[in-house]
Amino acid sequence: MRQQVEDNRMEGPPSGESMEGKACSLTKRIMTVSPFPERMSSLLHLLTAECFDLFSLHDLNKAFVSSLQPELIIYDATPHPLIPNAVDALHAAMTQTSPINGASLLYLVHEDARVMAAAIPKHAELLVWPSNPQEALNQINRMLGEWKAPDLSSYRFKDLTVDLKKMTVFRGGERIELTKTEYDLLLMFLTSGGAVLTREAMFDAVWGSQYFGGSNVVDVHIKTLRRKLKDSAVAPHYIATVRGVGYRLVEERGN
């Protein structure tokens, strides 16, 4: 087998013919995330042919995102055996991607999930999948054309300020000392776009599926986070409880 490969390389293309394909110059960097990559095979082939720098993951890895810094993340939020409901699948995807900063998001969804269109983050869009790969490519090119590097130095919500570089949190002018877990949970709320975050999804995102514990650990840490923020579960200013589901950020009221 080795000899055959070497012989083929030595022969080269027939006289008068050039090798197929085109040389790719530096281009946009895209990351795809799906536990079922075969669902996206047609789109992956097209993106590769169009010379995108493509990185495919089976599960979202925040360390990879931070190091590779993609301009766009295509996230498979279609239903699967563990989450058969289309809306729940999109909720889970939004929770998983909530800590991600600096990249636009394209969620691949079932048609039934379009009812959630108003709840997705500002830097995200939906694409019903499966779809025509060329139409998907057009949407991706448009999103990349509109993409602008965001200011990642801080987050502000009401009177809260989070310095991302120093990992510090201030309420007004007062610094709030948070643990790493409380800090991660707060960032999930601030980057959720107001979406409801389920206990299970928050547990998986912060502690990981390898952690042996129950989702009640989320309630314990939310309680301490609220106490440090001087927030109230009865009349919440920052974090509201969604009974039987989880939590969400309390929206700012207009004047």
Side-chain angles (χ1 to χ4, degrees):
M1 180 64 71
R2 181 180 179 183
Q3 183 63 41
Q4 181 181 1
V5 171
E6 292 177 348
D7 290 344
N8 289 339
R9 292 181 61 185
M10 292 173 64
E11 289 176 3
S15 177
E17 295 183 13
S18 61
M19 296 182 66
E20 293 183 359
K22 58 183 177 181
C24 294
S25 58
L26 292 177
T27 185
K28 298 291 186 179
R29 184 168 292 184
I30 293 178
M31 179 176 289
T32 64
V33 182
S34 175
F36 308 99
E38 67 277 5
R39 293 181 177 180
M40 306 170 62
S41 59
S42 59
L43 180 57
L44 294 177
H45 286 306
L46 183 57
L47 291 173
T48 301
E50 290 296 315
C51 285
F52 286 100
D53 289 333
L54 188 63
F55 303 87
S56 298
L57 303 179
H58 295 154
D59 192 17
L60 187 65
N61 185 306
K62 288 178 282 186
F64 282 173
V65 175
S66 178
S67 61
L68 296 174
Q69 297 184 347
E71 285 95 335
L72 176 68
I73 297 175
I74 303 175
Y75 196 102
D76 182 1
T78 56
H80 53 82
L82 294 179
I83 310 180
N85 181 274
V87 172
D88 290 344
L90 178 55
H91 263 305
M94 292 167 62
T95 302
Q96 290 293 321
T97 55
S98 61
I100 302 302
N101 305 307
S104 297
L105 289 164
L106 179 60
Y107 296 113
L108 305 185
V109 300
H110 184 275
E111 185 175 2
D112 292 347
R114 290 194 297 180
V115 297
M116 290 288 296
I120 64 175
K122 295 179 180 179
H123 59 290
E125 293 188 14
L126 301 180
L127 173 63
V128 175
W129 194 259
S131 181
N132 183 301
Q134 185 60 51
E135 293 179 2
L137 178 64
N138 294 340
Q139 183 172 352
I140 289 168
N141 280 326
R142 176 182 55 75
M143 292 181 69
L144 289 171
E146 297 171 352
W147 183 86
K148 295 180 180 179
D151 180 8
L152 300 180
S153 59
S154 65
Y155 271 110
R156 290 179 175 83
F157 178 72
K158 297 185 178 181
D159 58 347
L160 295 179
T161 302
V162 180
D163 188 319
L164 298 176
K165 293 181 179 179
K166 297 180 180 179
M167 296 181 66
T168 53
V169 179
F170 291 86
R171 183 177 182 268
E174 177 186 359
R175 179 167 175 171
I176 302 173
E177 298 295 338
L178 300 180
T179 66
K180 177 63 166 57
T181 298
E182 294 162 355
Y183 177 85
D184 288 343
L185 287 171
L186 179 60
L187 276 187
M188 288 186 67
F189 286 112
L190 296 181
T191 58
S192 67
V196 176
L197 306 179
T198 67
R199 290 176 175 83
E200 293 75 15
M202 295 173 72
F203 179 86
D204 288 342
V206 175
W207 286 272
S209 58
Q210 302 303 313
Y211 182 87
F212 293 98
S215 59
N216 63 318
V217 72
V218 174
D219 297 323
V220 173
H221 283 81
I222 292 295
K223 183 177 181 179
T224 59
L225 175 60
R226 277 173 165 163
R227 187 183 70 248
K228 292 181 179 182
L229 295 177
K230 298 181 180 179
D231 201 10
S232 167
V234 177
H237 186 60
Y238 305 115
I239 302 170
T241 301
V242 181
R243 186 171 298 178
V245 181
Y247 303 90
R248 65 173 175 81
L249 201 64
V250 177
E251 297 180 358
E252 295 187 83
R253 294 182 175 85
N255 296 328

